[in-house]
Structures are given as C-alpha cells and as structure tokens.
Amino acid sequence: QVQLVESGGGLVQAGGSLRLSCAASGRTFSSYTMGWFRQAPGKDREFVASIRWSGGSTYYADSVKGRFTISRDNAQNTVYLEMNSLKPEDTAVYYCAAGRGVVVTTLNTEYDYWGQGTQVTVSS
C-alpha cells in the first residue's frame, strides 16, 4: 500500500513558477513509476509528466515540455514537479500517482495509487 500527499499548489501569475511535491509512504517507493496528472474544470484528467523508478527516464506532455521538470528523491520518498513559465491554461488540480509495472506512463489506468490533488491557479 502506498499513500501519496501532494503539496505546493497555489495562486501564481502567468510567467511565474511553482514546485509541487508528492510525499509517499511505503518502503517500496523506489520501485514505483511516478506520474503527475492534472484535471481542469469540465475536462478529463490528463497526463503531465512521469518518471521511472530509477529516475533515468522521464516523459512529458507536449504542452509542458521545456517548462516543467519532474524529479524524484528515493531516499526521501518524494517526487517533485518544477513548473516554470506558467500559463493560465495550466490551471488545474494536479494529482500525483504511483504504479508498479507501468508500461504506458501516459495512461492514468496504469497507476495504482493516487493523491488527493493540489490546486494550481495561474492568473493572466
């Protein structure tokens, strides 16, 4: 069992930055693929970024490539999402997810555990 708790969301102006954190419980954190997804009002949950257990492979949605960076600290059981050059269209609830045996990291159905989400609001 893995429990995930996100933090770091908030209100920021366009062009600003935020860093989201996701703290995970469980001694097997390092064996999980971790992902960030987001859901805006009235829209489906969408993939943002993911990182394999070793941290060597990262993946990004085209909409955030070059602006967001995902990283993990297995010693601290934490995954981060550094968000720069934020745009109003980045406004959403951001969710952290963990999965074992994830093949297609962009699919939310591949993940076994989810956090409660943290709100990110970008004003224009």
Side-chain angles (χ1 to χ4, degrees), residues 46-99:
E46 66 174 3
F47 169 76
V48 175
S50 63
I51 186 166
R52 292 291 187 185
W53 68 271
S54 65
S57 296
T58 57
Y59 307 89
Y60 296 93
D62 288 342
S63 58
V64 307
K65 207 170 289 184
R67 300 187 298 122
F68 290 12
T69 302
I70 189 171
S71 61
R72 67 189 296 163
D73 183 341
N74 287 339
Q76 296 295 322
N77 281 12
T78 303
V79 63
Y80 304 97
L81 185 68
E82 186 76 34
M83 306 186 295
N84 298 313
S85 302
L86 283 162
K87 306 174 181 179
E89 51 263 44
D90 294 318
T91 295
V93 177
Y94 282 71
Y95 297 91
C96 174

mmCIF file of all heavy atoms in Angstrom, residues 46-99:
data_model
loop_
_atom_site.group_PDB
_atom_site.id
_atom_site.type_symbol
_atom_site.label_atom_id
_atom_site.label_comp_id
_atom_site.label_asym_id
_atom_site.label_seq_id
_atom_site.Cartn_x
_atom_site.Cartn_y
_atom_site.Cartn_z
ATOM 1 N N GLU A 46 -5.632 14.614 -17.407
ATOM 2 C CA GLU A 46 -4.637 14.452 -18.466
ATOM 3 C C GLU A 46 -3.242 14.260 -17.901
ATOM 4 O O GLU A 46 -2.911 14.774 -16.820
ATOM 5 C CB GLU A 46 -4.650 15.648 -19.417
ATOM 6 C CG GLU A 46 -4.213 16.959 -18.810
ATOM 7 C CD GLU A 46 -4.097 18.073 -19.844
ATOM 8 O OE1 GLU A 46 -4.402 17.853 -21.027
ATOM 9 O OE2 GLU A 46 -3.664 19.175 -19.452
ATOM 10 N N PHE A 47 -2.449 13.551 -18.650
ATOM 11 C CA PHE A 47 -1.064 13.284 -18.278
ATOM 12 C C PHE A 47 -0.237 14.557 -18.349
ATOM 13 O O PHE A 47 -0.400 15.359 -19.281
ATOM 14 C CB PHE A 47 -0.488 12.235 -19.225
ATOM 15 C CG PHE A 47 0.993 12.034 -19.128
ATOM 16 C CD1 PHE A 47 1.531 11.317 -18.076
ATOM 17 C CD2 PHE A 47 1.844 12.570 -20.083
ATOM 18 C CE1 PHE A 47 2.899 11.127 -17.987
ATOM 19 C CE2 PHE A 47 3.201 12.388 -20.003
ATOM 20 C CZ PHE A 47 3.740 11.666 -18.951
ATOM 21 N N VAL A 48 0.668 14.722 -17.386
ATOM 22 C CA VAL A 48 1.575 15.861 -17.384
ATOM 23 C C VAL A 48 3.020 15.386 -17.531
ATOM 24 O O VAL A 48 3.731 15.803 -18.437
ATOM 25 C CB VAL A 48 1.432 16.685 -16.093
ATOM 26 C CG1 VAL A 48 2.469 17.806 -16.062
ATOM 27 C CG2 VAL A 48 0.028 17.254 -15.970
ATOM 28 N N ALA A 49 3.447 14.502 -16.616
ATOM 29 C CA ALA A 49 4.834 14.042 -16.634
ATOM 30 C C ALA A 49 4.947 12.746 -15.837
ATOM 31 O O ALA A 49 4.105 12.468 -14.982
ATOM 32 C CB ALA A 49 5.766 15.098 -16.041
ATOM 33 N N SER A 50 5.992 11.986 -16.130
ATOM 34 C CA SER A 50 6.227 10.759 -15.373
ATOM 35 C C SER A 50 7.721 10.485 -15.292
ATOM 36 O O SER A 50 8.516 11.006 -16.093
ATOM 37 C CB SER A 50 5.520 9.570 -16.007
ATOM 38 O OG SER A 50 6.035 9.321 -17.304
ATOM 39 N N ILE A 51 8.074 9.642 -14.325
ATOM 40 C CA ILE A 51 9.473 9.301 -14.118
ATOM 41 C C ILE A 51 9.553 7.847 -13.675
ATOM 42 O O ILE A 51 8.809 7.409 -12.801
ATOM 43 C CB ILE A 51 10.127 10.268 -13.096
ATOM 44 C CG1 ILE A 51 11.628 10.016 -12.987
ATOM 45 C CG2 ILE A 51 9.439 10.210 -11.742
ATOM 46 C CD1 ILE A 51 12.360 11.145 -12.253
ATOM 47 N N ARG A 52 10.456 7.094 -14.283
ATOM 48 C CA ARG A 52 10.617 5.691 -13.928
ATOM 49 C C ARG A 52 11.291 5.559 -12.564
ATOM 50 O O ARG A 52 11.844 6.517 -12.027
ATOM 51 C CB ARG A 52 11.463 4.994 -14.991
ATOM 52 C CG ARG A 52 10.771 4.861 -16.350
ATOM 53 C CD ARG A 52 9.632 3.907 -16.313
ATOM 54 N NE ARG A 52 9.065 3.659 -17.646
ATOM 55 C CZ ARG A 52 7.995 2.929 -17.872
ATOM 56 N NH1 ARG A 52 7.350 2.377 -16.858
ATOM 57 N NH2 ARG A 52 7.562 2.737 -19.094
ATOM 58 N N TRP A 53 11.259 4.361 -12.026
ATOM 59 C CA TRP A 53 11.745 4.133 -10.664
ATOM 60 C C TRP A 53 13.192 4.571 -10.490
ATOM 61 O O TRP A 53 13.582 5.072 -9.434
ATOM 62 C CB TRP A 53 11.601 2.661 -10.290
ATOM 63 C CG TRP A 53 12.506 1.747 -11.049
ATOM 64 C CD1 TRP A 53 12.245 1.139 -12.252
ATOM 65 C CD2 TRP A 53 13.827 1.356 -10.691
ATOM 66 N NE1 TRP A 53 13.317 0.397 -12.651
ATOM 67 C CE2 TRP A 53 14.306 0.508 -11.720
ATOM 68 C CE3 TRP A 53 14.659 1.624 -9.610
ATOM 69 C CZ2 TRP A 53 15.564 -0.052 -11.677
ATOM 70 C CZ3 TRP A 53 15.919 1.053 -9.563
ATOM 71 C CH2 TRP A 53 16.355 0.228 -10.604
ATOM 72 N N SER A 54 14.003 4.388 -11.512
ATOM 73 C CA SER A 54 15.415 4.722 -11.399
ATOM 74 C C SER A 54 15.678 6.212 -11.581
ATOM 75 O O SER A 54 16.776 6.681 -11.289
ATOM 76 C CB SER A 54 16.210 3.961 -12.450
ATOM 77 O OG SER A 54 15.829 4.388 -13.746
ATOM 78 N N GLY A 55 14.666 6.939 -12.074
ATOM 79 C CA GLY A 55 14.856 8.359 -12.351
ATOM 80 C C GLY A 55 15.536 8.626 -13.671
ATOM 81 O O GLY A 55 15.701 9.775 -14.071
ATOM 82 N N GLY A 56 15.907 7.564 -14.373
ATOM 83 C CA GLY A 56 16.640 7.749 -15.610
ATOM 84 C C GLY A 56 15.777 8.084 -16.805
ATOM 85 O O GLY A 56 16.277 8.603 -17.806
ATOM 86 N N SER A 57 14.499 7.768 -16.736
ATOM 87 C CA SER A 57 13.615 8.013 -17.876
ATOM 88 C C SER A 57 12.473 8.915 -17.449
ATOM 89 O O SER A 57 11.754 8.601 -16.507
ATOM 90 C CB SER A 57 13.055 6.691 -18.405
ATOM 91 O OG SER A 57 14.071 5.868 -18.910
ATOM 92 N N THR A 58 12.325 10.009 -18.135
ATOM 93 C CA THR A 58 11.232 10.938 -17.865
ATOM 94 C C THR A 58 10.441 11.176 -19.143
ATOM 95 O O THR A 58 10.981 11.063 -20.250
ATOM 96 C CB THR A 58 11.756 12.283 -17.328
ATOM 97 O OG1 THR A 58 12.682 12.829 -18.280
ATOM 98 C CG2 THR A 58 12.460 12.110 -15.987
ATOM 99 N N TYR A 59 9.172 11.491 -18.968
ATOM 100 C CA TYR A 59 8.273 11.724 -20.093
ATOM 101 C C TYR A 59 7.417 12.938 -19.778
ATOM 102 O O TYR A 59 7.051 13.169 -18.627
ATOM 103 C CB TYR A 59 7.386 10.499 -20.321
ATOM 104 C CG TYR A 59 8.152 9.211 -20.456
ATOM 105 C CD1 TYR A 59 8.456 8.443 -19.329
ATOM 106 C CD2 TYR A 59 8.593 8.756 -21.687
ATOM 107 C CE1 TYR A 59 9.170 7.266 -19.441
ATOM 108 C CE2 TYR A 59 9.311 7.577 -21.804
ATOM 109 C CZ TYR A 59 9.600 6.839 -20.679
ATOM 110 O OH TYR A 59 10.314 5.682 -20.789
ATOM 111 N N TYR A 60 7.093 13.689 -20.820
ATOM 112 C CA TYR A 60 6.319 14.918 -20.633
ATOM 113 C C TYR A 60 5.243 15.041 -21.703
ATOM 114 O O TYR A 60 5.437 14.638 -22.854
ATOM 115 C CB TYR A 60 7.234 16.144 -20.721
ATOM 116 C CG TYR A 60 8.275 16.207 -19.638
ATOM 117 C CD1 TYR A 60 9.544 15.673 -19.837
ATOM 118 C CD2 TYR A 60 7.979 16.782 -18.406
ATOM 119 C CE1 TYR A 60 10.499 15.721 -18.839
ATOM 120 C CE2 TYR A 60 8.929 16.838 -17.405
ATOM 121 C CZ TYR A 60 10.191 16.299 -17.627
ATOM 122 O OH TYR A 60 11.127 16.343 -16.627
ATOM 123 N N ALA A 61 4.136 15.639 -21.311
ATOM 124 C CA ALA A 61 3.137 16.038 -22.298
ATOM 125 C C ALA A 61 3.728 17.157 -23.143
ATOM 126 O O ALA A 61 4.505 17.975 -22.645
ATOM 127 C CB ALA A 61 1.871 16.510 -21.592
ATOM 128 N N ASP A 62 3.342 17.202 -24.397
ATOM 129 C CA ASP A 62 3.865 18.240 -25.285
ATOM 130 C C ASP A 62 3.573 19.643 -24.749
ATOM 131 O O ASP A 62 4.366 20.564 -24.933
ATOM 132 C CB ASP A 62 3.265 18.094 -26.680
ATOM 133 C CG ASP A 62 3.818 16.890 -27.423
ATOM 134 O OD1 ASP A 62 4.890 16.364 -27.024
ATOM 135 O OD2 ASP A 62 3.178 16.455 -28.411
ATOM 136 N N SER A 63 2.452 19.785 -24.085
ATOM 137 C CA SER A 63 2.025 21.102 -23.613
ATOM 138 C C SER A 63 2.912 21.657 -22.499
ATOM 139 O O SER A 63 2.879 22.866 -22.239
ATOM 140 C CB SER A 63 0.571 21.044 -23.122
ATOM 141 O OG SER A 63 0.449 20.085 -22.085
ATOM 142 N N VAL A 64 3.693 20.795 -21.850
ATOM 143 C CA VAL A 64 4.531 21.267 -20.736
ATOM 144 C C VAL A 64 6.020 21.068 -20.997
ATOM 145 O O VAL A 64 6.852 21.512 -20.202
ATOM 146 C CB VAL A 64 4.156 20.572 -19.407
ATOM 147 C CG1 VAL A 64 2.667 20.708 -19.141
ATOM 148 C CG2 VAL A 64 4.570 19.105 -19.398
ATOM 149 N N LYS A 65 6.346 20.411 -22.108
ATOM 150 C CA LYS A 65 7.746 20.116 -22.417
ATOM 151 C C LYS A 65 8.544 21.409 -22.494
ATOM 152 O O LYS A 65 8.123 22.380 -23.134
ATOM 153 C CB LYS A 65 7.813 19.353 -23.736
ATOM 154 C CG LYS A 65 9.010 18.448 -23.884
ATOM 155 C CD LYS A 65 8.848 17.556 -25.106
ATOM 156 C CE LYS A 65 7.792 16.495 -24.920
ATOM 157 N NZ LYS A 65 7.694 15.559 -26.063
ATOM 158 N N GLY A 66 9.679 21.429 -21.822
ATOM 159 C CA GLY A 66 10.521 22.608 -21.806
ATOM 160 C C GLY A 66 10.198 23.586 -20.693
ATOM 161 O O GLY A 66 10.974 24.506 -20.422
ATOM 162 N N ARG A 67 9.050 23.409 -20.055
ATOM 163 C CA ARG A 67 8.646 24.297 -18.954
ATOM 164 C C ARG A 67 8.603 23.582 -17.616
ATOM 165 O O ARG A 67 8.887 24.185 -16.581
ATOM 166 C CB ARG A 67 7.264 24.906 -19.247
ATOM 167 C CG ARG A 67 7.210 25.721 -20.518
ATOM 168 C CD ARG A 67 5.864 26.446 -20.650
ATOM 169 N NE ARG A 67 4.732 25.530 -20.735
ATOM 170 C CZ ARG A 67 3.702 25.536 -19.890
ATOM 171 N NH1 ARG A 67 3.653 26.404 -18.903
ATOM 172 N NH2 ARG A 67 2.701 24.688 -20.060
ATOM 173 N N PHE A 68 8.220 22.309 -17.629
ATOM 174 C CA PHE A 68 8.085 21.528 -16.396
ATOM 175 C C PHE A 68 9.213 20.505 -16.316
ATOM 176 O O PHE A 68 9.668 19.975 -17.338
ATOM 177 C CB PHE A 68 6.753 20.778 -16.378
ATOM 178 C CG PHE A 68 5.528 21.647 -16.222
ATOM 179 C CD1 PHE A 68 5.575 23.021 -16.338
ATOM 180 C CD2 PHE A 68 4.297 21.048 -15.964
ATOM 181 C CE1 PHE A 68 4.440 23.801 -16.193
ATOM 182 C CE2 PHE A 68 3.148 21.813 -15.813
ATOM 183 C CZ PHE A 68 3.224 23.187 -15.932
ATOM 184 N N THR A 69 9.616 20.206 -15.089
ATOM 185 C CA THR A 69 10.633 19.176 -14.862
ATOM 186 C C THR A 69 10.194 18.276 -13.710
ATOM 187 O O THR A 69 9.875 18.766 -12.627
ATOM 188 C CB THR A 69 11.992 19.805 -14.515
ATOM 189 O OG1 THR A 69 12.404 20.680 -15.573
ATOM 190 C CG2 THR A 69 13.053 18.720 -14.331
ATOM 191 N N ILE A 70 10.186 16.982 -13.970
ATOM 192 C CA ILE A 70 9.860 16.011 -12.927
ATOM 193 C C ILE A 70 11.159 15.407 -12.407
ATOM 194 O O ILE A 70 12.097 15.161 -13.176
ATOM 195 C CB ILE A 70 8.911 14.911 -13.458
ATOM 196 C CG1 ILE A 70 8.408 14.030 -12.316
ATOM 197 C CG2 ILE A 70 9.572 14.092 -14.563
ATOM 198 C CD1 ILE A 70 7.289 13.068 -12.738
ATOM 199 N N SER A 71 11.197 15.182 -11.100
ATOM 200 C CA SER A 71 12.363 14.552 -10.494
ATOM 201 C C SER A 71 11.903 13.768 -9.269
ATOM 202 O O SER A 71 10.774 13.927 -8.813
ATOM 203 C CB SER A 71 13.417 15.600 -10.101
ATOM 204 O OG SER A 71 12.884 16.507 -9.147
ATOM 205 N N ARG A 72 12.787 12.932 -8.757
ATOM 206 C CA ARG A 72 12.421 12.140 -7.577
ATOM 207 C C ARG A 72 13.636 11.983 -6.679
ATOM 208 O O ARG A 72 14.793 11.971 -7.145
ATOM 209 C CB ARG A 72 11.865 10.786 -7.984
ATOM 210 C CG ARG A 72 12.848 9.840 -8.635
ATOM 211 C CD ARG A 72 12.132 8.609 -9.203
ATOM 212 N NE ARG A 72 11.521 7.815 -8.147
ATOM 213 C CZ ARG A 72 10.576 6.895 -8.380
ATOM 214 N NH1 ARG A 72 10.144 6.667 -9.620
ATOM 215 N NH2 ARG A 72 10.067 6.196 -7.377
ATOM 216 N N ASP A 73 13.349 11.840 -5.408
ATOM 217 C CA ASP A 73 14.369 11.566 -4.406
ATOM 218 C C ASP A 73 13.917 10.306 -3.679
ATOM 219 O O ASP A 73 13.055 10.376 -2.788
ATOM 220 C CB ASP A 73 14.494 12.758 -3.454
ATOM 221 C CG ASP A 73 15.605 12.568 -2.425
ATOM 222 O OD1 ASP A 73 16.033 11.422 -2.188
ATOM 223 O OD2 ASP A 73 16.038 13.576 -1.859
ATOM 224 N N ASN A 74 14.467 9.184 -4.062
ATOM 225 C CA ASN A 74 14.018 7.916 -3.486
ATOM 226 C C ASN A 74 14.371 7.807 -2.006
ATOM 227 O O ASN A 74 13.673 7.128 -1.247
ATOM 228 C CB ASN A 74 14.605 6.740 -4.264
ATOM 229 C CG ASN A 74 13.956 6.566 -5.624
ATOM 230 O OD1 ASN A 74 12.840 7.036 -5.861
ATOM 231 N ND2 ASN A 74 14.643 5.905 -6.534
ATOM 232 N N ALA A 75 15.415 8.476 -1.588
ATOM 233 C CA ALA A 75 15.786 8.446 -0.168
ATOM 234 C C ALA A 75 14.759 9.179 0.685
ATOM 235 O O ALA A 75 14.553 8.843 1.858
ATOM 236 C CB ALA A 75 17.165 9.051 0.027
ATOM 237 N N GLN A 76 14.118 10.196 0.083
ATOM 238 C CA GLN A 76 13.116 10.985 0.791
ATOM 239 C C GLN A 76 11.693 10.563 0.440
ATOM 240 O O GLN A 76 10.726 11.164 0.918
ATOM 241 C CB GLN A 76 13.287 12.479 0.454
ATOM 242 C CG GLN A 76 14.612 13.069 0.911
ATOM 243 C CD GLN A 76 14.754 13.068 2.419
ATOM 244 O OE1 GLN A 76 13.787 13.313 3.146
ATOM 245 N NE2 GLN A 76 15.949 12.780 2.904
ATOM 246 N N ASN A 77 11.557 9.537 -0.404
ATOM 247 C CA ASN A 77 10.220 9.083 -0.838
ATOM 248 C C ASN A 77 9.385 10.232 -1.395
ATOM 249 O O ASN A 77 8.195 10.367 -1.067
ATOM 250 C CB ASN A 77 9.467 8.407 0.312
ATOM 251 C CG ASN A 77 9.911 6.975 0.541
ATOM 252 O OD1 ASN A 77 10.920 6.539 0.011
ATOM 253 N ND2 ASN A 77 9.159 6.252 1.350
ATOM 254 N N THR A 78 9.999 11.054 -2.207
ATOM 255 C CA THR A 78 9.321 12.244 -2.707
ATOM 256 C C THR A 78 9.568 12.416 -4.198
ATOM 257 O O THR A 78 10.678 12.166 -4.688
ATOM 258 C CB THR A 78 9.812 13.498 -1.956
ATOM 259 O OG1 THR A 78 9.595 13.319 -0.549
ATOM 260 C CG2 THR A 78 9.050 14.731 -2.411
ATOM 261 N N VAL A 79 8.521 12.842 -4.894
ATOM 262 C CA VAL A 79 8.640 13.207 -6.295
ATOM 263 C C VAL A 79 8.232 14.675 -6.427
ATOM 264 O O VAL A 79 7.363 15.150 -5.692
ATOM 265 C CB VAL A 79 7.786 12.294 -7.195
ATOM 266 C CG1 VAL A 79 6.305 12.423 -6.884
ATOM 267 C CG2 VAL A 79 8.058 12.560 -8.661
ATOM 268 N N TYR A 80 8.901 15.369 -7.335
ATOM 269 C CA TYR A 80 8.692 16.805 -7.489
ATOM 270 C C TYR A 80 8.251 17.129 -8.919
ATOM 271 O O TYR A 80 8.555 16.400 -9.866
ATOM 272 C CB TYR A 80 9.988 17.561 -7.198
ATOM 273 C CG TYR A 80 10.573 17.291 -5.850
ATOM 274 C CD1 TYR A 80 11.597 16.359 -5.682
ATOM 275 C CD2 TYR A 80 10.100 17.969 -4.729
ATOM 276 C CE1 TYR A 80 12.132 16.098 -4.427
ATOM 277 C CE2 TYR A 80 10.640 17.723 -3.475
ATOM 278 C CZ TYR A 80 11.647 16.791 -3.336
ATOM 279 O OH TYR A 80 12.173 16.548 -2.088
ATOM 280 N N LEU A 81 7.546 18.247 -9.039
ATOM 281 C CA LEU A 81 7.235 18.784 -10.354
ATOM 282 C C LEU A 81 7.554 20.270 -10.311
ATOM 283 O O LEU A 81 6.835 21.044 -9.675
ATOM 284 C CB LEU A 81 5.774 18.559 -10.727
ATOM 285 C CG LEU A 81 5.403 18.990 -12.143
ATOM 286 C CD1 LEU A 81 6.090 18.086 -13.178
ATOM 287 C CD2 LEU A 81 3.892 18.969 -12.358
ATOM 288 N N GLU A 82 8.641 20.640 -10.960
ATOM 289 C CA GLU A 82 9.032 22.036 -11.067
ATOM 290 C C GLU A 82 8.338 22.620 -12.281
ATOM 291 O O GLU A 82 8.499 22.123 -13.398
ATOM 292 C CB GLU A 82 10.555 22.134 -11.228
ATOM 293 C CG GLU A 82 11.105 23.543 -11.211
ATOM 294 C CD GLU A 82 11.151 24.132 -9.805
ATOM 295 O OE1 GLU A 82 11.394 23.378 -8.853
ATOM 296 O OE2 GLU A 82 10.914 25.345 -9.682
ATOM 297 N N MET A 83 7.557 23.684 -12.048
ATOM 298 C CA MET A 83 6.760 24.276 -13.118
ATOM 299 C C MET A 83 7.200 25.722 -13.326
ATOM 300 O O MET A 83 7.089 26.539 -12.406
ATOM 301 C CB MET A 83 5.276 24.217 -12.772
ATOM 302 C CG MET A 83 4.794 22.810 -12.431
ATOM 303 S SD MET A 83 3.012 22.714 -12.197
ATOM 304 C CE MET A 83 2.801 23.729 -10.742
ATOM 305 N N ASN A 84 7.695 26.022 -14.498
ATOM 306 C CA ASN A 84 8.153 27.359 -14.846
ATOM 307 C C ASN A 84 7.335 27.907 -16.013
ATOM 308 O O ASN A 84 6.659 27.155 -16.720
ATOM 309 C CB ASN A 84 9.632 27.331 -15.213
ATOM 310 C CG ASN A 84 10.503 26.871 -14.071
ATOM 311 O OD1 ASN A 84 10.359 27.334 -12.943
ATOM 312 N ND2 ASN A 84 11.431 25.964 -14.351
ATOM 313 N N SER A 85 7.425 29.211 -16.210
ATOM 314 C CA SER A 85 6.712 29.876 -17.311
ATOM 315 C C SER A 85 5.250 29.456 -17.347
ATOM 316 O O SER A 85 4.709 29.099 -18.397
ATOM 317 C CB SER A 85 7.388 29.557 -18.646
ATOM 318 O OG SER A 85 8.736 29.956 -18.637
ATOM 319 N N LEU A 86 4.618 29.507 -16.206
ATOM 320 C CA LEU A 86 3.240 29.030 -16.101
ATOM 321 C C LEU A 86 2.291 29.883 -16.925
ATOM 322 O O LEU A 86 2.470 31.104 -17.061
ATOM 323 C CB LEU A 86 2.808 29.003 -14.641
ATOM 324 C CG LEU A 86 3.365 27.802 -13.849
ATOM 325 C CD1 LEU A 86 3.284 28.055 -12.364
ATOM 326 C CD2 LEU A 86 2.608 26.544 -14.223
ATOM 327 N N LYS A 87 1.271 29.219 -17.456
ATOM 328 C CA LYS A 87 0.265 29.861 -18.289
ATOM 329 C C LYS A 87 -1.107 29.660 -17.661
ATOM 330 O O LYS A 87 -1.305 28.690 -16.924
ATOM 331 C CB LYS A 87 0.268 29.240 -19.684
ATOM 332 C CG LYS A 87 1.617 29.243 -20.378
ATOM 333 C CD LYS A 87 1.548 28.489 -21.691
ATOM 334 C CE LYS A 87 2.893 28.459 -22.394
ATOM 335 N NZ LYS A 87 2.836 27.704 -23.673
ATOM 336 N N PRO A 88 -2.058 30.530 -17.975
ATOM 337 C CA PRO A 88 -3.414 30.334 -17.430
ATOM 338 C C PRO A 88 -3.989 28.955 -17.750
ATOM 339 O O PRO A 88 -4.725 28.384 -16.936
ATOM 340 C CB PRO A 88 -4.216 31.449 -18.098
ATOM 341 C CG PRO A 88 -3.211 32.530 -18.321
ATOM 342 C CD PRO A 88 -1.939 31.811 -18.683
ATOM 343 N N GLU A 89 -3.636 28.404 -18.892
ATOM 344 C CA GLU A 89 -4.152 27.075 -19.255
ATOM 345 C C GLU A 89 -3.532 25.945 -18.439
ATOM 346 O O GLU A 89 -3.959 24.793 -18.561
ATOM 347 C CB GLU A 89 -3.955 26.807 -20.749
ATOM 348 C CG GLU A 89 -2.549 27.045 -21.258
ATOM 349 C CD GLU A 89 -2.380 28.432 -21.886
ATOM 350 O OE1 GLU A 89 -2.876 29.426 -21.299
ATOM 351 O OE2 GLU A 89 -1.733 28.505 -22.949
ATOM 352 N N ASP A 90 -2.560 26.248 -17.604
ATOM 353 C CA ASP A 90 -2.017 25.251 -16.670
ATOM 354 C C ASP A 90 -2.874 25.131 -15.411
ATOM 355 O O ASP A 90 -2.620 24.250 -14.578
ATOM 356 C CB ASP A 90 -0.588 25.611 -16.262
ATOM 357 C CG ASP A 90 0.395 25.539 -17.417
ATOM 358 O OD1 ASP A 90 0.308 24.585 -18.220
ATOM 359 O OD2 ASP A 90 1.254 26.436 -17.516
ATOM 360 N N THR A 91 -3.852 25.992 -15.278
ATOM 361 C CA THR A 91 -4.735 25.960 -14.110
ATOM 362 C C THR A 91 -5.481 24.643 -14.047
ATOM 363 O O THR A 91 -6.142 24.241 -15.015
ATOM 364 C CB THR A 91 -5.730 27.127 -14.160
ATOM 365 O OG1 THR A 91 -5.008 28.355 -14.047
ATOM 366 C CG2 THR A 91 -6.747 27.024 -13.033
ATOM 367 N N ALA A 92 -5.361 23.953 -12.925
ATOM 368 C CA ALA A 92 -5.980 22.639 -12.757
ATOM 369 C C ALA A 92 -5.682 22.125 -11.359
ATOM 370 O O ALA A 92 -4.865 22.705 -10.630
ATOM 371 C CB ALA A 92 -5.432 21.643 -13.785
ATOM 372 N N VAL A 93 -6.342 21.034 -11.006
ATOM 373 C CA VAL A 93 -5.935 20.265 -9.835
ATOM 374 C C VAL A 93 -4.887 19.264 -10.309
ATOM 375 O O VAL A 93 -5.109 18.536 -11.279
ATOM 376 C CB VAL A 93 -7.119 19.531 -9.190
ATOM 377 C CG1 VAL A 93 -6.642 18.683 -8.020
ATOM 378 C CG2 VAL A 93 -8.182 20.533 -8.727
ATOM 379 N N TYR A 94 -3.752 19.262 -9.634
ATOM 380 C CA TYR A 94 -2.643 18.380 -10.014
ATOM 381 C C TYR A 94 -2.597 17.184 -9.066
ATOM 382 O O TYR A 94 -2.627 17.347 -7.842
ATOM 383 C CB TYR A 94 -1.328 19.150 -9.960
ATOM 384 C CG TYR A 94 -1.145 20.043 -11.164
ATOM 385 C CD1 TYR A 94 -1.916 21.190 -11.322
ATOM 386 C CD2 TYR A 94 -0.217 19.738 -12.158
ATOM 387 C CE1 TYR A 94 -1.776 21.995 -12.439
ATOM 388 C CE2 TYR A 94 -0.058 20.541 -13.271
ATOM 389 C CZ TYR A 94 -0.844 21.666 -13.405
ATOM 390 O OH TYR A 94 -0.698 22.479 -14.513
ATOM 391 N N TYR A 95 -2.514 15.996 -9.658
ATOM 392 C CA TYR A 95 -2.519 14.746 -8.902
ATOM 393 C C TYR A 95 -1.206 14.003 -9.109
ATOM 394 O O TYR A 95 -0.685 13.920 -10.224
ATOM 395 C CB TYR A 95 -3.654 13.847 -9.357
ATOM 396 C CG TYR A 95 -5.032 14.406 -9.134
ATOM 397 C CD1 TYR A 95 -5.672 15.163 -10.109
ATOM 398 C CD2 TYR A 95 -5.711 14.160 -7.941
ATOM 399 C CE1 TYR A 95 -6.939 15.674 -9.904
ATOM 400 C CE2 TYR A 95 -6.984 14.664 -7.728
ATOM 401 C CZ TYR A 95 -7.597 15.414 -8.714
ATOM 402 O OH TYR A 95 -8.858 15.908 -8.503
ATOM 403 N N CYS A 96 -0.743 13.441 -8.031
ATOM 404 C CA CYS A 96 0.415 12.553 -8.056
ATOM 405 C C CYS A 96 -0.098 11.113 -8.121
ATOM 406 O O CYS A 96 -1.126 10.795 -7.502
ATOM 407 C CB CYS A 96 1.219 12.796 -6.783
ATOM 408 S SG CYS A 96 2.604 11.695 -6.516
ATOM 409 N N ALA A 97 0.600 10.259 -8.849
ATOM 410 C CA ALA A 97 0.184 8.874 -8.984
ATOM 411 C C ALA A 97 1.397 7.953 -8.938
ATOM 412 O O ALA A 97 2.500 8.346 -9.337
ATOM 413 C CB ALA A 97 -0.574 8.669 -10.293
ATOM 414 N N ALA A 98 1.163 6.728 -8.463
ATOM 415 C CA ALA A 98 2.231 5.732 -8.371
ATOM 416 C C ALA A 98 1.747 4.420 -8.958
ATOM 417 O O ALA A 98 0.598 4.020 -8.752
ATOM 418 C CB ALA A 98 2.649 5.529 -6.921
ATOM 419 N N GLY A 99 2.618 3.750 -9.674
ATOM 420 C CA GLY A 99 2.237 2.479 -10.256
ATOM 421 C C GLY A 99 3.420 1.544 -10.396
ATOM 422 O O GLY A 99 4.545 1.977 -10.635
#
